[in-house]
Amino acid sequence: MDLAASYRYAGSPVRIHAGAGALAQLPEELRRAGARRALVLCGKSVAHRTDLLGRVVAALGEAHAGTFDGIEAESPLPSVEAAVEAARACGADAVIGVGGGSAVVSTRATLILLAESGSAHDLCTQYPEGRAPVSPRLMQPKLPNVIVLTTPTTAANRAGAAVMDPTARRRLELFDPKTRPAAVILDPDALLTAPVKLYLSTATTTFSGLIGALQSQNLNPFVHADLREALDLSLTHMPRLVARPDDPDIRLHLATAALLANRAADAAAGGGGGVTNGLAHQLHVRYHHIDQGSANGVLLAPGMRFNRDVLTVGQARVGNLLGARRPTMTDRQAADAAAGAVVAFLESVGMPVRLRDIGVPEADLPLIAEGAMSDFFLRNNPRPVRDAAELMDVLRQAW
């Protein structure tokens, strides 16, 4: 397999503390950042159904300025705006985000709205008709943040934060690299607080992203190494998670896979996840019962088939990594085998692979297709999507 010989690679700095007792690093991380008053952001489940919030507060000691436990799934704008007010009220000079993807995204969005003038609608990526999307440059300094993860989310060390406009039911995409965390904490006891169904769903989102990125035709050795290791960890430990849901080492390995995928995604381009992500966003925005992992999982193979003719070599690479390619296969046959292997793996860990299995009515498919046409990720799909009719073909296959 050939990798790009000429490339540019830039990694984003972050300290990762993994293993027993990792929460004890919180005071040192605040000291490094010059912070003394940290607001803790989390959801109701973390705050009231686990002992994690108490352990975080104890670790912070006198540096704990307050707690906001109103973070919600999909980061709806009202909950983020309430977090901003909580940060102002307690005079926070740092934020600790505790939870999964929604806590991570809400933390970044809170930092942006706390520092910048204007509403989220003013500050988010704009989509001028007939022109490329424009992300406003958000120049104000941002408070430092540290993330304590409870799920293997790939959102941990990103620059973007998509909050949900609950009225229009659309994502508002905020972007500022200054909101990346100073550190990420992978404490096994924190990771064990997430229900296994949620943990598996989040790991499936990571798996979907890895398969998408590995289809790229321009992988460089650094990105390829991260993706390969993350895929190996996912293939090994997702089945083990199902068999041994309370094993802390399995959860740590899957969280590590997510961080590797996160790092690779920052430096990769041209992967095949655009159509999958664009349609998946519509599912978990429109249907409260559909989790992100299920949304991505059911659309992963159909998305691969949609892109097959422009990503044949990359999909053949995936077929090889999944053990689906036979010596006599052409690249096109290996690409088809890769899509089949993806479905087989997801079924083997108990994830759904059809839209009908997650309660999507067939009558809703046109609305989903139309809604996805304005999704940011769809614009980066390697095969240009000309109209909603093409997305309908993907959705019918998935249904």
Side-chain angles (χ1 to χ4, degrees):
M1 178 200 66
D2 292 332
L3 297 177
S6 298
Y7 57 87
R8 177 180 179 273
Y9 177 82
S12 301
V14 63
R15 283 178 297 279
I16 300 170
H17 302 286
L23 279 179
Q25 297 297 322
L26 283 174
E28 175 62 16
E29 286 299 333
L30 291 181
R31 186 193 67 78
R32 284 175 178 267
R36 296 184 177 182
R37 295 182 56 77
L39 172 69
V40 178
L41 298 185
C42 65
K44 299 293 185 187
S45 293
V46 167
H48 303 293
R49 298 181 184 175
T50 76
D51 67 349
L52 179 55
L53 175 59
R55 297 201 304 118
V56 169
V57 170
L60 289 171
E62 294 182 355
H64 177 238
T67 296
F68 175 79
D69 65 0
I71 298 302
E72 300 178 45
E74 301 300 331
S75 302
L77 182 57
S79 72
V80 172
E81 291 172 334
V84 171
E85 292 308 312
R88 288 183 177 137
C90 71
D93 60 5
V95 175
I96 310 294
V98 182
S102 294
V104 170
V105 170
S106 295
T107 295
R108 285 198 289 268
T110 297
L111 298 178
I112 289 172
L113 297 184
L114 186 63
E116 301 285 345
S117 299
S119 69
H121 292 84
D122 300 324
L123 302 171
C124 71
T125 298
Q126 306 296 318
Y127 292 88
E129 187 173 353
R131 290 184 288 161
V134 178
S135 293
R137 293 177 65 84
L138 308 181
M139 303 305 295
Q140 293 300 315
K142 305 301 184 292
L143 296 184
N145 72 98
V146 177
I147 299 300
V148 179
L149 288 181
T150 59
T151 68
T153 176
T154 59
N157 189 29
R158 299 268 175 118
V163 299
M164 182 57 57
D165 179 340
T167 303
R169 295 304 296 168
R170 70 182 184 92
R171 290 154 47 95
L172 306 176
E173 295 146 350
L174 305 167
F175 180 82
D176 190 342
K178 299 188 294 299
T179 61
R180 294 182 190 273
V184 175
I185 307 293
L186 301 182
D187 184 283
D189 289 332
L191 297 173
L192 282 168
T193 62
V196 64
K197 183 178 180 180
L198 172 61
Y199 213 88
L200 179 61
S201 170
T202 311
T204 299
T205 302
T206 297
F207 175 76
S208 177
L210 291 169
I211 296 299
L214 281 163
Q215 298 172 46
S216 172
Q217 301 180 69
N218 299 301
L219 288 179
N220 71 61
F222 291 94
V223 171
H224 185 251
D226 280 347
L227 294 175
R228 280 289 306 270
E229 180 61 20
L231 182 64
D232 286 346
L233 288 170
S234 296
L235 292 173
T236 299
H237 293 287
M238 285 174 67
R240 291 179 179 175
L241 176 68
V242 175
R244 303 200 303 275
D246 296 326
D247 188 321
D249 290 341
I250 291 171
R251 296 203 178 205
L252 273 171
H253 285 310
L254 289 172
T256 299
L259 291 179
L260 288 169
N262 188 163
R263 185 168 69 176
D266 263 359
V275 69
T276 296
N277 289 329
L279 289 169
H281 289 157
Q282 286 297 305
L283 295 186
H284 53 81
V285 165
R286 291 174 179 274
Y287 308 100
H288 295 296
H289 70 280
I290 298 180
D291 58 275
Q292 193 173 51
S294 295
N296 280 276
V298 297
L299 291 162
L300 181 53
M304 292 175 68
R305 295 182 180 112
F306 179 81
N307 287 323
R308 182 189 58 192
D309 290 344
V310 296
L311 292 178
T312 305
V313 173
Q315 291 189 11
R317 176 193 300 129
V318 171
N320 187 56
L321 294 173
L322 295 178
R325 182 167 195 168
R326 301 292 176 261
T328 58
M329 285 182 175
T330 64
D331 281 350
R332 185 182 177 90
Q333 289 170 330
D336 289 336
V342 162
V343 172
F345 177 73
L346 292 174
E347 287 181 320
S348 75
V349 296
M351 290 300 296
V353 294
R354 310 289 298 186
L355 286 171
R356 70 185 70 181
D357 296 334
I358 56 175
V360 175
E362 188 175 12
D364 286 1
L365 299 188
L367 292 175
I368 297 169
E370 287 290 346
M373 286 300 296
S374 62
D375 190 272
F376 179 83
F377 284 91
L378 201 70
R379 294 167 185 255
N380 296 324
N381 194 68
R383 172 185 163 183
V385 180
R386 294 172 297 181
D387 51 42
E390 290 189 324
L391 295 182
M392 278 296 295
D393 291 339
V394 178
L395 291 169
R396 287 192 189 99
Q397 185 185 142
W399 199 82

